[in-house]
């Protein structure tokens, strides 16, 4: 049986999770014991479904994998047409996980607010260079000037729109893709990413794969 299934709505979130869990020394960055993970096998993308589809039928989509994985995480964005809000989405996903074969102690439902693009943003130089800018010191004032970033904030309130602007207006024109998400999440310090869903993910991995005392 494999260790961890991560079920996501799109390729961008798949890239972000893959970068996080397959970075060098990932378990050390997370603060957990090593566990087996291969993004090519262990991340499943709900192709053709997107966030509403996962919200509606995650139980049916994930059930075929119940006998293959000890633990499962399902991740959905909060913001989409018809979204009932983060709390309702999380409750429904929790019900889906239980119905599909992962009770509360073995399944985790995550809602990213407002959307996966929030995982791109931190004040790290890796974020700036991945978006095609020479440094955060160059990118930050540009974002502030366009109204995407408030003074003292480290993340834009509209992360998707800010990312699209930065990619299109920077010194290097870079397409928005899953590769971009993987690059950023594979390099930026977990401590720099101020996101509740990511914090909950890291916390749960520490519970599921605890380090040995003194390890």
């Amino acid at each position: 049986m494999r260790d961890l299934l991560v079920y996501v709505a799109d390729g961008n979130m798949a890239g972000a999770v893959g970068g996080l869990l397959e970075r060098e020394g990932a378990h050390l960055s997370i603060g957990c014991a090593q566990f087996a993970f291969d993004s090519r096998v262990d991340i499943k993308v709900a192709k053709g479904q997107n966030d509403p589809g996962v919200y509606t039928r995650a139980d049916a989509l994930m059930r075929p994998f119940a006998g293959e994985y000890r633990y499962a995480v399902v991740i959905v964005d909060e913001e989409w047409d018809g979204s009932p809000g983060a709390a309702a989405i999380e409750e429904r996903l929790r019900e889906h996980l239980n119905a599909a074969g992962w009770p509360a102690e073995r399944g985790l439902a995550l809602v990213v607010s407002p959307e996966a693009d929030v995982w791109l943003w931190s004040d790290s130089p890796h974020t700036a260079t991945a978006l095609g800018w020479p440094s955060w010191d160059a990118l930050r004032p540009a974002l502030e000037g366009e109204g995407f970033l408030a003074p003292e904030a480290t993340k834009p309130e509209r992360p998707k729109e800010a990312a699209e602007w930065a990619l299109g207006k920077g010194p290097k024109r870079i397409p928005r893709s899953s590769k971009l998400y993987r690059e950023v999440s594979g390099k930026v310090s977990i401590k720099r990413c101020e996101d509740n869903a990511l914090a909950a993910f890291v916390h749960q991995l520490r519970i599921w794969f605890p380090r040995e005392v003194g390890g």
Side-chain angles (χ1 to χ4, degrees):
M1 179 171 284
R2 301 188 66 82
D3 285 332
L4 180 68
L5 167 68
V6 181
Y7 203 93
V8 299
D10 59 51
N12 292 338
M13 182 54 74
V17 173
L20 172 69
L21 298 184
E22 292 186 319
R23 64 169 67 190
E24 185 175 356
H27 67 293
L28 299 175
S29 299
I30 294 167
C32 65
Q34 282 188 288
F35 60 94
F37 190 83
D38 182 343
S39 63
R40 297 168 298 179
V41 176
D42 300 325
I43 299 178
K44 310 294 185 184
V45 179
K47 294 181 180 179
Q49 299 293 327
N50 296 323
D51 298 287
V54 177
Y55 168 74
T56 303
R57 58 184 72 88
D59 53 348
L61 295 170
M62 298 180 70
R63 190 175 292 117
F65 309 108
E68 299 178 28
Y69 289 91
R70 296 168 60 197
Y71 303 110
V73 180
V74 57
I75 308 175
V76 169
D77 290 347
E78 178 184 11
E79 191 168 282
W80 36 271
D81 289 343
S83 168
I89 295 172
E90 183 177 344
E91 182 178 0
R92 175 67 71 85
L93 293 178
R94 180 59 266 160
E95 293 171 355
H96 283 317
L97 281 165
N98 190 66
W102 289 279
E105 67 273 13
R106 295 197 298 113
L108 176 65
L110 293 178
V111 182
V112 181
S113 301
E115 54 214 347
D117 300 80
V118 74
W119 284 20
L120 286 175
W121 290 103
S122 75
D123 58 358
S124 164
H126 297 303
T127 291
T129 55
L131 292 170
W133 292 72
S135 68
W136 180 249
D137 289 339
L139 176 56
R140 181 180 185 98
L143 291 169
E144 290 182 356
E146 293 294 323
F148 287 114
L149 188 64
E152 309 302 324
T154 58
K155 290 179 180 290
E157 289 189 10
R158 304 299 307 165
K160 179 179 179 180
E161 289 83 348
E164 290 175 340
W165 180 87
L167 289 166
K169 298 296 184 179
K172 297 180 181 179
R173 304 296 175 88
I174 298 175
R176 184 166 166 264
S177 67
S178 59
K179 181 180 178 181
L180 169 68
Y181 291 75
R182 184 180 179 93
E183 179 181 350
V184 173
S185 67
K187 293 179 179 178
V188 173
S189 168
I190 292 173
K191 295 179 181 178
R192 283 182 178 265
C193 189
E194 301 171 0
D195 177 70
N196 291 335
L198 179 58
F201 190 18
V202 168
H203 176 71
Q204 191 62 57
L205 291 174
R206 291 169 181 165
I207 293 173
W208 284 340
F209 308 105
R211 291 190 299 186
E212 295 182 5
V213 176

